[in-house]
Amino acid sequence: MIAWALLLPMVCGHFDLSIGSMANLGGMIAVIAQTEHGVAPLPAIGLAVLAGLIIGFVNGLIVVGLRVSSFIATLGMGSVLAAFQTIV
């Protein structure tokens, strides 16, 4: 799944440097949903995928809508996600 998420921007000629942070955040969301909120495994995985889709959509808006370099935009998003993971 991560390879597919990385393949689409690469085919379009862009980079996604936030893919590792997004994968880590998805894992954290799934684990926290299961352990602290009692969510079943499949819905927890769905929440993680939904979070990844939202983050990817925001990355896309920044790159396409604001015309920021994909290298800079996804590097910044990776830093924001890493900071969020440290806080949580």
Side-chain angles (χ1 to χ4, degrees), residues 2 6 16-27 74 78 81-82 85:
I2 293 172
L6 189 59
D16 189 355
L17 301 176
S18 65
I19 195 79
S21 296
M22 285 195 301
N24 190 22
L25 181 66
T74 59
L81 294 175
Q85 292 165 15

Side-chain angles (χ1 to χ4, degrees), residues 53-78:
L53 287 171
I54 292 170
I55 294 167
F57 182 74
V58 171
N59 278 341
L61 284 178
I62 293 171
V63 171
V64 175
L66 299 177
R67 297 183 183 189
V68 176
S69 168
S70 62
F71 186 81
I72 300 299
T74 59
L75 184 63
M77 180 62 77

